[in-house]
Structure formats: structure tokens, C-alpha cells
Amino acid sequence: MTVTIELLEQLVGFETVSGNSNLDLVEFVAGRLRAAGAECRVLPDPQGQKANLLAWIGPTDRPGLVLSGHSDVVPVTGQRWSGNPFALRRQDDRLIARGAADMKGFDAAAIALFERIDPTSLRHPLILALSFDEEVGCKGAPPLIHALLETLPAPLGCIVGEPTMMEPVDGHKGKVAMAVEIKGRAGHSALPHKAANAVFAAAQLIAALASRAAELQAEGPFAAGFEPAWTTLNVGRIEGGSQINIVPDRCRFEFEVRALPGTDPRDEVARVQRLVSEQVLPAMSAQAEECDIRFTELLRYPGFQAPEQSMIVRTVRDLTGGDEPAKVSYGTEAGLFAQSGIDVCVCGPGSIDVAHKPDEWITVGQLGRCDHFLDELVQRLCR
């Protein structure tokens, strides 16, 4: 476990906030893995500023076990940390840094596993899939999964190591986030009939979203195990107008849908778009023909629900104590692996409750549990 902590200290020192490059971190990890005998493919993004990393050790003529992590972290801007967010600090059993829980703790444990394993003992390969830009919509995962399936046989299964307190998770919601930009016509507020108020139009759409959110909460559909057990909607940002005596000609707001697995969050977007085309925009255009309302998708990832007969969920459940798998409302890359036909379970060290917050932390005990779990998992599936 000492190696895992040392690796975590090094990983959090790379300031891989999603807006930054992660190339230094990828080069560091690839170097460690190659020294351990692993084969590595560094997969740059089209701009050459970020990269995925695919690494494997053991035989390549048969299916292997994938450990899936991401290299990026959320920003610390505006947060009050008690120390440097990118320098690991220890307070009793807690290891504090940005990314300690989400999810460089798991990344460190996976790298340490590669370094202590004897490649000749493996009957099936051990694979690390380390993505970029998970925090801004799982953008790196699709090309990484494509490269995985192009390079190696379809895997036995995949562990996505997001923080679950080392308990198995077999389902999560899908998400779509949208920006809505409304163009109206400016005018003097004393003569609103000669203008078209973009903020009023936004308010009408936001009210419809709030009404739909209440309807879903009251009527469902519902799915046991999720908190909350229904599809949710949220408006997170709105901006528009310039001053009180001018009818605003611009307004922009952003909303998200977190949908139960098996449902498509874009269905809720389509509801709002129908309201725009049937009511809101015709009413605005009657006052000013130049009015327009445009939707832009900011990010989207699929929901995830493992099948009842999932081998990897059953295995993780056995190794972690047999607890019933949980459901979560936050997103992971598991849905993308599942869409590609890969058997997947979410299980990793640390708590999602401290992720994205100041003084994010993970306990030494959780890292120890993760190390032991990965050893047992490899013994079960790869040896």
C-alpha cells in the first residue's frame, strides 16, 4: 500500500483540471507501466493537447480484465482549501488533495497493481484504460474504448473505479446537458409591444421544465435503488438583459436531464423543443420576425444498468462481501463500456460525498481495501 500512496502523491501533483493538458501525467504513467513490463498506447486527441492511455500486461490472444480510470479532475477555483490542492497532505487516516477520491486513488492502485504483478503468472491480460475529459462529459472514453477493442480481444469484464467506498454499483443514470440561446428584439421598456422579450421567453421554458420536473417526481417512472428514484431536471445557469428599462433581446440558460437507465434523456429535451416550435417562438416571431431560439448540446453520456447475469458484478459482489449492488445518480464511463458490449461494474475507493469539494480526501484504509480487492480480482479472473 505504501507504493499506492506514493503514486497518489505523484498523480495529484499533476494539475490535470479538465481545461488543462494531461500529457505530462500520461507520460509519467506510461513510463512507470513500461518499466513494469506493460505495453502502452498513447492516444492523443485531435488537437494533441490531451491523450488517453491504453496499457496491458500478460498474453494478448485471449480476453482480459479492464481497469478503467480517468486522469482529469474538476477545478478548485473559488473553493477554500486549507492547503495546496495539488500537494498530498495527510491528516490522521485522511489523504487530502484534489482528485484523491475522484479518482486518482483508484488510478494509483491500478498502477501499483501492474508494478507488483508477475506477468508470467497471468493467463489473461490485465488492462488499464485511462481516459481524459471524463469530468466534462466522458469525452475521452469513446475513442479509448474503440482503441481497446481494436487492439485486444473483447474483454472478460471492466471495473470502473469511481469512488463507491469499495461497494459494487450496477446502475447509474444517463445525462444530457443543453444550452438554450434566445434572440429577441430590444426596445424601450415603456414600449414592450414593439419589442420581443428574450427573458420572458426563457422564463416560459424554464417554468415548463420546472413543471415537468414536478410531474416526474410525482408520477415517475420510478426505479428502486436510485436516489431520487425518478428522472430529474435542473436549470443551473441563466443570464440575460442589460438594465431594467430595456427589453432584453438576449437570454441564455443551461439545463440538464438525469434520466433513469433504459430511458433517453433527449426525450425531455424534445419536449422543450416542441414547446418552442409550437408556442414560444411563433409568439415571439409575431412581434419580431428576427427572433430565434437555438439548442446546443453541451454533453451527454448514457445510463448504465448491468444485466442480472453479469459475471463481473457477481464477482465484485463476492469479493467485497456479498452486499446487494447499489444504484447511483451521478454518471460514469460504465454506460459507454456497456454500450460496446463489455460486462462492467463500478467499484472504487473513496466517497463521492467528498468529490468536487474543498479538501477532498480518501482514507488510507480505503486504498488498502482497493489494493486487496484488485489482488483478489486478478487472482480470480486473470490467473
Side-chain angles (χ1 to χ4, degrees):
M1 185 172 61
T2 301
V3 175
T4 300
I5 295 174
E6 291 173 352
L7 280 163
L8 176 59
E9 182 175 19
Q10 291 172 301
L11 292 178
V12 300
F14 294 97
E15 297 186 24
T16 51
V17 174
S18 300
N20 297 343
S21 173
N22 72 336
L23 294 181
D24 288 347
L25 181 147
V26 169
E27 181 180 355
F28 165 77
V29 174
R32 293 286 296 243
L33 295 178
R34 288 188 178 114
E39 297 288 332
C40 294
R41 283 187 67 187
V42 175
L43 306 161
D45 73 346
Q47 291 74 39
Q49 296 302 308
K50 301 179 183 181
N52 290 316
L53 176 62
L54 180 66
W56 62 93
I57 197 167
T60 58
D61 61 345
R62 60 200 70 180
L65 171 68
V66 180
L67 305 179
S68 167
H70 62 79
S71 61
D72 59 318
V73 297
V74 297
V76 299
T77 306
Q79 295 185 341
R80 299 183 65 180
W81 285 70
S82 60
N84 182 353
F86 300 103
L88 194 71
R89 293 177 290 119
R90 182 165 182 172
Q91 292 183 357
D92 300 321
D93 193 43
R94 293 183 177 183
L95 302 169
I96 304 168
R98 170 58 83 226
D102 186 16
M103 60 179 294
K104 291 180 176 178
F106 179 82
D107 297 341
I111 299 164
L113 174 66
F114 270 72
E115 293 189 336
R116 67 176 175 268
I117 206 163
D118 176 7
T120 63
S121 71
L122 297 175
R123 296 182 62 191
H124 295 268
L126 178 66
I127 304 158
L128 177 64
L130 188 65
S131 68
F132 65 85
D133 280 0
E134 187 273 347
E135 296 288 3
V136 289
C138 301
K139 294 179 180 178
L144 178 57
I145 295 169
H146 176 78
L148 165 66
L149 296 176
E150 178 184 66
T151 305
L152 297 165
L156 291 168
C158 173
I159 303 295
V160 175
E162 293 282 0
T164 69
M165 294 298 289
M166 293 307 302
E167 299 297 332
V169 166
D170 69 350
H172 67 66
K173 294 180 179 180
K175 176 179 172 177
V176 65
M178 304 293 300
V180 184
E181 296 182 82
I182 302 169
K183 176 185 177 183
R185 176 187 284 176
H188 197 294
S189 61
L191 302 169
H193 62 293
K194 294 185 177 181
N197 192 312
V199 170
F200 277 179
Q204 187 176 352
L205 297 178
I206 291 170
L209 286 166
S211 177
R212 177 59 177 163
E215 179 182 333
L216 288 165
Q217 181 174 352
E219 302 177 11
F222 303 104
F226 286 95
E227 183 187 5
W230 56 87
T231 293
T232 60
L233 286 78
N234 181 61
V235 176
R237 285 177 54 86
I238 182 170
E239 52 190 40
S242 56
Q243 62 185 49
I244 190 65
N245 62 349
I246 298 176
V247 176
D249 65 341
R250 299 280 176 175
C251 189
R252 184 182 189 276
F253 69 92
E254 297 173 1
F255 74 95
E256 68 165 26
V257 184
R258 293 182 183 264
L260 296 173
T263 63
D264 191 337
R266 290 174 295 182
D267 291 345
E268 298 301 329
V269 176
R271 282 176 172 266
V272 186
Q273 291 173 325
R274 285 196 298 271
L275 178 61
V276 167
S277 62
E278 295 173 3
Q279 298 182 37
V280 179
L281 189 54
M284 292 184 72
S285 298
Q287 289 187 252
E289 61 181 14
E290 68 269 24
C291 291
D292 193 21
I293 300 177
R294 296 188 178 184
F295 289 72
T296 302
E297 184 177 285
L298 302 176
L299 65 89
R300 172 166 49 95
Y301 56 75
F304 161 61
Q305 180 59 63
E308 290 186 10
Q309 69 274 20
S310 167
M311 177 278 295
I312 196 70
V313 172
R314 184 173 64 250
T315 301
V316 172
R317 184 177 178 180
D318 290 346
L319 294 177
T320 56
D323 290 338
E324 189 72 22
K327 309 284 193 293
V328 295
S329 293
Y330 60 86
T332 79
E333 294 172 338
L336 293 162
F337 280 95
Q339 276 190 344
S340 297
I342 298 171
D343 193 10
V344 60
C345 181
V346 184
C347 184
S351 171
I352 197 66
D353 291 341
V354 302
H356 300 193
K357 294 180 180 179
D359 286 352
E360 177 184 346
W361 53 268
I362 193 170
T363 66
V364 174
Q366 277 285 298
L367 288 180
R369 282 189 64 187
C370 186
D371 283 344
H372 179 71
F373 165 77
L374 291 177
D375 284 336
E376 293 294 312
L377 189 67
V378 168
Q379 182 66 28
R380 179 81 65 94
L381 297 181
C382 295
R383 284 176 168 152

